[in-house]
Amino acid sequence: MATLVSTTDLVKEFPLHGSLFDVFSARRKRVHAVDRVSFSIAEGEVLGLAGESGSGKSTTGRLLLRLIEPTSGAVEYRGRNVTSFSARELERLREKVQIVFQDPNSSLSPRMSVGQAITHPLQIHGIGTTVERKERVLDLMEKVGLSPAEFLYRKYPHQLSGGQSQRVVLARALVTQPDFLVADEPIAMADVSVRALILQLMRQLKRDMGLTYLFITHDLATAKYLCDRIAVMYLGRIVELASRDTLFSRPHHPYTKALLAAVPVPDPKARRDKNLPKGEIPSAINPPSGCHFHPRCPYAVARCREARPPLREIAPGQFSACILD
């Protein structure tokens, strides 16, 4: 399959502003949010981006859509460098690449009805007449399970359930008929009973509309259900990238193993791996030297502290940033 979206050595640093001296200092502190991240997503593929909070997943998703500017590196859409797009080209790109944010309540305006919110992207891009827009919106609302559409069309966000709000955000992202969708933890704010329905809906929409997803999550069990391949991030770096089946059957990186060991098992007699990492993810302001994971890794050796391990192919289609075999 052809590559739809790719990144090469993507870097994002956020400068910290303290005193006036810090603003003009060449040595001012920075948050190293994304650190030389490279991957590609084929047309029709679902790539999962998994890791703890603070690992840089959401920042990576926003960089792909150029919602924030990268410090360095490249993002390509259909072979063209998005970071070099003009304002007009970027506006046209917005039709084809969209994002679903984690919290639907904060991403929906309380002053816009459901119909207005979903129609708004069509108005921005000048798509269709007023009648055509409403027909498209009502049809899409039915597809995403917002039924009866005519009734919910006039409702406001505070009148919706959590699951309905998430479906509205999803419909708004899909109304321009995009090719690529960044789903930033789209079920994190939904009730447990609704999560499976949203995931089933996303799978169905992928088949019906030919979508390509970057699915951001901290839950590997969710990624296993939806994703074709999974990239595991830790403190701004991808530490392992493999197909879903390979990652779950033969994980290589110690951090991946730790995440899998933390997945709940429906068996009260099942024992946890004693080699779970201790402590919390280090600060992205002063990340550890060498392998970022070495302070928490039960298998760390002296070499892990000295140099950054490259993301190397250890088996066909499986990449790991660990020096250990």
Side-chain angles (χ1 to χ4, degrees):
M1 279 189 186
T3 297
L4 183 67
V5 177
S6 64
T7 70
T8 305
D9 290 332
L10 198 59
V11 174
K12 181 60 182 178
E13 297 176 350
F14 295 99
L16 293 179
H17 301 298
S19 64
L20 185 62
F21 174 79
D22 292 334
V23 174
F24 295 101
S25 173
R27 300 171 60 184
R28 61 182 175 181
K29 295 181 178 180
R30 296 175 179 272
V31 176
H32 303 272
V34 177
D35 187 3
R36 284 188 282 170
V37 166
S38 300
F39 59 81
S40 62
I41 309 175
E43 287 191 63
E45 182 182 27
V46 181
L47 177 68
L49 201 56
E52 293 173 276
S53 296
S55 60
K57 307 184 302 297
S58 295
T59 303
T60 301
R62 285 162 171 76
L63 288 170
L64 290 187
L65 305 186
R66 207 176 148 188
L67 296 179
I68 54 177
E69 297 294 333
T71 303
S72 63
V75 177
E76 292 190 351
Y77 171 77
R78 296 194 182 278
R80 293 195 60 197
N81 190 348
V82 174
T83 56
S84 66
F85 275 21
S86 66
R88 184 177 294 274
E89 288 175 318
L90 197 59
E91 185 177 339
R92 287 198 296 266
L93 178 69
R94 299 289 184 222
E95 286 187 45
K96 296 301 180 183
V97 295
Q98 288 287 335
I99 186 169
V100 175
F101 293 103
Q102 179 175 347
D103 184 1
N105 296 319
S106 63
S107 58
L108 290 173
S109 170
R111 302 188 179 199
M112 297 178 74
S113 67
V114 168
Q116 291 172 328
I118 301 174
T119 305
H120 196 216
L122 298 177
Q123 295 171 331
I124 291 174
H125 295 289
I127 299 173
T129 64
T130 301
V131 174
E132 290 171 341
R133 290 169 187 165
K134 184 170 183 179
E135 289 178 354
R136 182 188 286 201
V137 169
L138 290 173
D139 180 61
L140 184 58
M141 287 176 65
E142 292 288 349
K143 284 183 179 178
V144 301
L146 289 168
S147 181
E150 282 281 5
F151 175 72
L152 293 173
Y153 188 91
R154 300 184 299 274
K155 296 295 182 181
Y156 285 82
H158 71 275
Q159 298 174 301
L160 305 176
S161 67
Q164 288 174 327
S165 297
Q166 193 64 66
R167 290 168 192 264
V168 171
V169 173
L170 188 58
R172 184 179 61 182
L174 296 177
V175 73
T176 59
Q177 298 178 346
D179 299 323
F180 179 60
L181 188 68
V182 174
D184 188 0
E185 305 216 32
I187 62 172
M189 303 297 290
D191 295 337
V192 175
S193 59
V194 177
R195 292 181 182 182
L197 297 176
I198 298 294
L199 289 175
Q200 289 174 5
L201 173 62
M202 290 184 68
R203 290 183 69 172
Q204 184 64 43
L205 291 171
K206 175 184 176 294
R207 290 192 294 267
D208 294 345
M209 303 179 69
L211 292 168
T212 302
Y213 290 141
L214 176 69
F215 185 76
I216 298 171
T217 182
H218 62 273
D219 181 8
L220 278 176
T222 301
K224 184 179 182 181
Y225 177 80
L226 188 65
C227 301
D228 301 306
R229 289 187 302 148
I230 300 172
V232 178
M233 283 193 76
Y234 184 79
L235 209 59
R237 298 176 178 175
I238 291 180
V239 296
E240 188 160 1
L241 174 62
S243 68
R244 173 191 58 208
D245 295 339
T246 299
L247 194 83
F248 277 81
S249 61
R250 299 192 310 276
H252 181 266
H253 198 281
Y255 180 59
T256 307
K257 294 177 181 178
L259 289 180
L260 290 172
V263 174
V265 179
D267 182 359
K269 297 180 181 179
R271 291 183 173 272
R272 290 289 185 196
D273 187 347
K274 295 182 179 180
N275 291 323
L276 290 174
K278 298 179 181 179
E280 297 181 355
I281 189 168
S283 170
I285 301 173
N286 295 302
S289 61
C291 174
H292 284 351
F293 189 60
H294 83 256
R296 303 174 67 194
C297 180
Y299 312 107
V301 296
R303 278 195 299 160
C304 299
R305 301 174 177 85
E306 297 168 359
R308 172 177 179 158
L311 190 66
R312 59 191 177 93
E313 190 170 19
I314 59 168
Q318 182 177 16
F319 300 82
S320 176
C322 182
I323 62 173
L324 303 177
D325 294 326

